[in-house]
Amino acid sequence: MNKPSIRTALVACACALALAGCGGGRDGGGGGGDAVAGSDIPASALRSVQGLVDFMEDVIATMTGNTTEPLALGDVRLPTSETSEPL
Amino acid sequence: MIRTAAFALTAIAALCSTVAVASSHREAPFIAGQPKVDGTDFYMFRSYEPGRQGFVTILANYMPFQDPQGGPNFHMFDPNALYEIHIDNNGDAVEDLTLQFRFDNASKDQALMVGGKSTKIPLINSGPINSVNDATLNVRETFSIDLVRGDRRGGNRSAVTRGGSGARFDKPVDNIGEKSFPGGYQAYANQHVHSMTLPGCATPARVFVGQRKESFYIAVGKTFDLLNLNPLGPETGGNNNDLEAKNVSTIAVELPISCITAGNEPVIGAYTTASVRQARLIDGKPDSGLGNASKEGGPWAQVSRLGMPLVNEVVIGLADKDRFNAGKPSGDGALIDYVTHPSLPALIESLFPQAPAPTNFPRTDLVTAFLKGIEGVNQPKNVVASEMLRLNTSTPPTAAGAQSPLGVAGGDMAGFPNGRRPADDVVDVSLRVAMGALCVLTGRNDALKVGCKPSDAPSGGQPFTDGVRKTAASYGAGFPYLTTPLAGNFNPTPPAGATQ
């Protein structure tokens, strides 16, 4: 997974959201960053627990603020693991 | 005077040494904000219910400081958490058996026809409750149990079944009140003591998960107020039990000794943990229904750990309490300084100059008891130093009427710190050992091999107490031993002088 691509995509999405006022389905960008339909969650975040944690770290790094709206979650199911140690 | 033989085992309690507060209630910064996964007390003892001596009972309590008036949601276990009981049966500080509990809270979406419209009700029950999964319950709480052999994550996991049929167990709803339970809450809850079949074990075990009356007892308020009590006052009736009007939620299992011990080693170590998913996303626009406010994902991340009572409460420094809760016994060496150079005996001395703290550093008495158990009592043959509650399963249980709340310190070899029973006064025992009781007991020749002597502990012979004491008569005589919770319609008289 390409973390810089996702970070760029998230920033792009946030900007688009501010302009368009859309409630969901933000464009997650390329490189595996396309958002799952009906949500703001990129597909890369749903393929593995590592992908999920990387996405979460990007959210924390780029979307922590006083004006950003919550990400739309839609019907996504976050990946889980019964065997991995915390990442 | 505390007997020599008794003190041999109080050394283990030294791990809990220092000021004793609620065993592990809201004891760390992070877990204080996560009550559903906050382990409060952990008990382990040979069953003393008549006819059940071949079993070990383990009680893992969660969700502290429950007021009985818990409506409308009451205290359900977290369906996004993993609750575990770990057993080390060869002393190597690594779990050999783990029971995993996973919960599901299914809404029944009960509704009433109101003016032609179906309107969902706001309550957890729509009428009196008499039976398991009663039709009047608006939420069905169930759980599954898995047994993992080996490493908790990488080991061999298989399902525990319910009396040979099915793999889901019902949990009783909390004690809402007398109107909701016309047949009595106890009769209703007793229907949820389930027989369970452990994979690879020919003897059935038992399980109960549900609300109970809080079992821990302590003058917690005065204790935290710079020990604002007489530590050498009456052991019984000196102070009130601040947890007397509280409930707690328990995961109770009764396991055949033959199925949890290994080879010729009768000593087992155990502890409970709770984990949550490492990632959580809050849904800013949740759908209707239960469990839609957030989405969880990622690996399990441990956030609560409890073996011996009072460790994280009063031994581990504030800055490391979250770290302890995330840790495993095999990594306890990183926090060894808290045991070898404990701060609370020094604090006690500063508050009570007439009670000087022990002077032997490092506190090898605490290290021996805390990390290994006492040789010949509850120390595994090949023990690797690590913190957990240890029980010698070859020690016969003591009948309820003959138990000493001081456990081994009171001449009762089946009591704390050889395991822990509900009535064992871990607060008083811990206070005494913290102040060097073991150094006194071992004598000048260090008969107990704890590395100190009486002159190291000027206050070691004092009967320190928080003034609160119970006996086995305050608890049940059989599984699950903890008693019926206070009813949710509990409506006590306000304190004198309170403005209404």
Side-chain angles (χ1 to χ4, degrees), chain A residues 23 41 49 52-53 55-56 70-71 73-87, chain B residues 102 151 153-154 157 277-285 287 295-302 328:
Chain A
I41 311 302
V49 293
L52 173 64
V53 172
F55 169 70
M56 295 292 292
L71 295 167
L73 304 187
D75 295 326
V76 300
R77 294 178 64 86
L78 302 184
T80 62
S81 171
E82 297 298 319
T83 58
S84 296
E85 291 296 324
L87 301 170
Chain B
R102 294 175 170 83
D151 181 85
R153 298 291 171 261
R157 182 158 68 108
R277 292 296 183 187
Q278 190 174 9
R280 171 178 290 178
L281 284 170
I282 304 301
D283 197 331
K285 296 180 180 179
D287 290 333
K295 293 184 186 292
E296 278 72 18
W300 291 115
Q302 181 182 309
K328 298 177 182 179

Side-chain angles (χ1 to χ4, degrees), chain B residues 111-131:
Chain B
L112 297 175
M113 291 305 297
V114 182
K117 288 186 178 292
S118 177
T119 303
K120 295 177 183 178
I121 67 172
L123 303 178
I124 205 170
N125 61 314
S126 57
I129 301 164
N130 293 293
S131 60

Side-chain angles (χ1 to χ4, degrees), chain B residues 165-449:
Chain B
S165 62
R168 293 209 71 82
F169 302 80
D170 275 275
K171 171 193 171 291
V173 69
D174 288 353
N175 191 353
I176 303 165
E178 287 90 1
K179 190 172 182 179
S180 294
F181 299 101
Y185 183 77
Q186 181 173 343
Y188 162 74
N190 284 347
Q191 298 175 60
H192 299 77
V193 176
H194 304 287
S195 174
M196 62 174 178
T197 302
L198 303 174
C201 181
T203 305
R206 292 195 287 186
V207 61
F208 171 83
V209 176
Q211 191 183 51
R212 297 283 90 185
K213 187 177 183 296
E214 170 65 75
S215 48
F216 190 64
Y217 56 91
I218 183 174
V220 62
K222 288 187 174 185
T223 298
F224 271 122
D225 184 22
L226 297 177
L227 274 179
N228 188 6
L229 47 76
N230 179 3
L232 294 177
E235 297 177 30
T236 301
N239 291 298
N240 297 320
N241 173 29
D242 287 323
L243 304 180
E244 194 62 29
K246 303 294 183 184
N247 290 328
V248 75
S249 298
T250 194
I251 297 174
V253 294
E254 187 184 51
L255 309 173
I257 293 174
S258 60
C259 292
I260 59 175
T261 51
N264 296 321
E265 178 56 73
V267 179
I268 56 174
Y271 59 104
T272 186
T273 63
S275 301
V276 296
R277 292 296 183 187
Q278 190 174 9
R280 171 178 290 178
L281 284 170
I282 304 301
D283 197 331
K285 296 180 180 179
D287 290 333
S288 177
L290 297 183
N292 291 329
S294 64
K295 293 184 186 292
E296 278 72 18
W300 291 115
Q302 181 182 309
V303 295
S304 178
R305 169 190 168 189
L306 178 55
M308 289 283 280
L310 305 165
V311 175
N312 210 18
E313 197 87 357
V314 295
V315 174
I316 306 299
L318 188 62
D320 287 315
K321 291 181 184 295
D322 290 338
R323 180 181 175 192
F324 177 85
N325 269 339
K328 298 177 182 179
S330 57
D332 285 342
L335 299 174
I336 190 66
D337 285 352
Y338 286 115
V339 179
T340 59
H341 296 75
S343 61
L344 284 184
L347 284 172
I348 293 174
E349 178 180 328
S350 72
L351 294 169
F352 300 95
Q354 69 273 34
T359 57
N360 56 311
F361 295 104
R363 289 288 302 270
T364 52
D365 55 322
L366 304 185
V367 172
T368 300
F370 172 33
L371 298 179
K372 298 181 178 181
I374 296 293
E375 186 176 346
V377 178
N378 65 337
Q379 182 182 107
K381 180 179 179 182
N382 300 310
V383 67
V384 173
S386 55
E387 187 276 305
M388 59 182 77
L389 186 64
R390 291 188 170 89
L391 172 69
N392 188 337
T393 62
S394 66
T395 303
T398 302
Q403 292 181 11
S404 168
L406 291 177
V408 175
D412 181 357
M413 302 302 284
F416 183 74
N418 184 14
R420 180 190 175 193
R421 302 165 304 196
D424 289 343
D425 195 337
V426 299
V427 173
D428 285 6
V429 174
S430 299
L431 277 172
R432 298 173 192 191
V433 176
M435 297 305 285
L438 193 63
C439 296
V440 172
L441 183 64
T442 195
R444 281 187 293 178
N445 295 325
D446 196 11
L448 299 175
K449 302 177 183 177

